[in-house]
Amino acid sequence: MKQKLEKWIITLVLVVGGFLVSIPFFWMILSSFKPEREARSMPPTLWPENFTFEHYLNLFQNLNFGTYFTNTLIIVLFSMLGLLFNTMAGYGFAKFHFKGKEAVFIGVLATMMIPAQVSMIPVYLILNQMSLTNTMSGIILPGLIAAFNIFLIRQFMTTIPNDLIESARIDGAREFRIFFQIILPLSKPVLAVQVILTFVGAWNSFLWPLIVANDQGLYTLSVGLALLQGQNASSFALQMAGATVMVIPVLILFMFVQKYIVQGFNTTGIK
């Protein structure tokens, strides 16, 4: 009886807490479907009385959000390619022995101690020398490799038994086949965590695209949303529509991989 009461109390607290936390999120979505006058009306309405897609059409037809969306998708896709490289690097550090491995790995860890803001100016100057500023390549390249991803993947892969890999080699499997058909399926928990972290990082990329790109045709959704706030500060519902476009893809991805994320957090010890 006591356990049931505790369970009901915990469930009630979680439901109330979840509801309170969700209010701003649902408010944002519902406000994006209201006419501007209704979105600013007092007292405010929760559910739209005059449902409209006007603000979403305005975003993609008049405010270049389609271009921003495409640019963001390109950055996300290349970030996923970078995640594959990071996974290969983590596998190499975990399962291969080569001269200077420890020194190289310490070098990788050392880069984690440097704030990203500190390295932005040197990276910008290097890209400028290579004539890659104000290009999509200049936006993508610095984000391909992440020391934290390599470290986390390496830590997970050290738990994979070496005997499994040796058995595959004895059976004639080549290294790429071992990596893609054995290592990657066994690494689903940590990869799920890495996918969501990489996706969110790339999807919300703001400062670096703003620094490197002068052409608005290269801006991302985050930069576009900031411009929206500056150029259309008086349009509250339009800003809510832009914020909704930013949030919904992340939410959908999280719904699909949340099982693996929780499993990965438990496995890797991320808190």
Side-chain angles (χ1 to χ4, degrees), residues 234-256:
S234 59
S235 181
F236 175 75
L238 188 65
Q239 293 177 52
M240 293 300 104
T244 302
V245 171
M246 279 289 303
V247 170
I248 292 300
V250 178
L251 187 65
I252 293 174
L253 177 67
F254 183 80
M255 290 172 63
F256 277 106

Side-chain angles (χ1 to χ4, degrees), residues 83 86-87 90-91 148-160 179 183-198 257 259-270:
L83 178 58
N86 294 330
T87 306
Y91 175 56
F148 177 72
N149 291 353
I150 295 174
F151 167 73
L152 200 65
I153 292 169
R154 184 257 186 196
Q155 295 303 103
F156 180 86
M157 288 186 175
T158 53
T159 64
I160 297 176
F179 177 74
I183 301 299
L184 287 187
L186 290 174
S187 305
K188 279 182 182 177
V190 71
L191 289 180
V193 175
Q194 292 298 311
V195 165
I196 190 71
L197 293 178
T198 303
V257 300
K259 181 180 71 175
Y260 295 108
I261 291 173
V262 174
Q263 187 179 353
F265 280 173
N266 291 333
T267 304
T268 56
I270 296 179

Side-chain angles (χ1 to χ4, degrees), residues 77-155:
L77 289 176
F78 277 95
S79 297
M80 294 301 163
L81 179 64
L83 178 58
L84 177 63
F85 296 151
N86 294 330
T87 306
M88 289 181 172
Y91 175 56
F93 281 120
K95 296 299 178 185
F96 287 86
H97 299 282
F98 52 89
K99 189 176 181 180
K101 185 179 83 169
E102 295 302 325
V104 174
F105 187 63
I106 290 173
V108 172
L109 294 181
T111 62
M112 293 171 57
M113 314 300 171
I114 304 173
Q117 292 81 359
V118 174
S119 61
M120 279 185 176
I121 293 177
V123 172
Y124 179 86
L125 294 176
I126 292 171
L127 291 176
N128 194 39
Q129 289 293 323
M130 299 169 67
S131 301
L132 289 178
T133 52
N134 202 30
T135 65
M136 185 56 73
S137 300
I139 297 174
I140 291 171
L141 282 176
L144 280 182
I145 304 301
F148 177 72
N149 291 353
I150 295 174
F151 167 73
L152 200 65
I153 292 169
R154 184 257 186 196
Q155 295 303 103

